[in-house]
Amino acid sequence: MTSLHLFLFPLALSCALATPAPPVFPDRWQAVEQTVVVEGPSRGGGTGLSHFDGPNQRAASTNLTGSMYDVIITDFTAGTDGRTYYIRTYGGERHCQFWCEPDVPEICDVADSLCSSDYKNKATFVGNETVDGVATNKFFWTENLGPIPMNSLLLYVNADSPVPVRMYRDIHPFGKPLGNATIDFQSFQTPSSFPDSLFDLGPDAKYDCDGPEPGESCQDEAVLRSQRHHLLMLGSRLARREN
């Protein structure tokens, strides 16, 4: 073995054994999300097409199942503190029913985001695992209220490319277990832009979704179930609003 080989071998070995770093994801993406939410003995969830538009501070979930609202749009630039719009589609058109205050203060705090400050600053590599036949790297971090962990998260990323495969969230505000949520990402794409029609509220918006006050239905059980499907978790909300 030549001196060059002796030099290159440990270099190649060290590169092969390098600890994977948490990937930096694009600030605009879309994916089919299959969600399972467990709260005590209850188990729910559904599927939907999630659109994350970081540059324009907005997000949309469309084609939602497991919810009486098949479209949910959050615009963090609307009003004073942003608005989440609950929409039904029928007669070939969207019909905005009402708006509520977002459960988190900014786009990177929505629970399926890939850009939270906690992820960027605290995520660490914790091993490998195969998920549905895909080899993944696992990254772990927590969301805290001061020193108190409120949520613990695992993100499973394709080991061959920076594509999310699964996000698991264990929800335990103040140490009290509330449940967990799992998102499986499918058909992950990074478009250069989204059409404005994706965030259209429909012709009824000027009547039902343009008022100065949130809708009276914001605390209805159907809305809370929709929020859970949309992953606006109580533990996440409390931790993030206090940070």
Side-chain angles (χ1 to χ4, degrees), residues 22-25 114-123 139 141 155:
V24 177
F25 295 97
L114 303 169
C115 59
S116 74
S117 59
D118 285 318
Y119 169 74
K120 290 181 176 179
N121 296 321
K122 295 163 49 177
F139 299 94
W141 72 99
L155 180 65

Side-chain angles (χ1 to χ4, degrees), residues 16-75:
L17 298 178
T19 300
V24 177
F25 295 97
D27 57 8
R28 183 182 285 115
W29 55 264
Q30 70 179 38
V32 175
E33 293 182 353
Q34 183 170 353
T35 305
V36 176
V37 179
V38 177
E39 296 179 87
S42 301
R43 182 183 178 94
T47 61
L49 182 56
S50 181
H51 312 265
F52 185 92
D53 190 4
N56 292 305
Q57 295 291 297
R58 57 188 182 176
S61 289
T62 61
N63 302 90
L64 289 169
T65 65
S67 166
M68 65 186 296
Y69 306 102
D70 61 319
V71 178
I72 299 175
I73 294 173
T74 299
D75 184 350

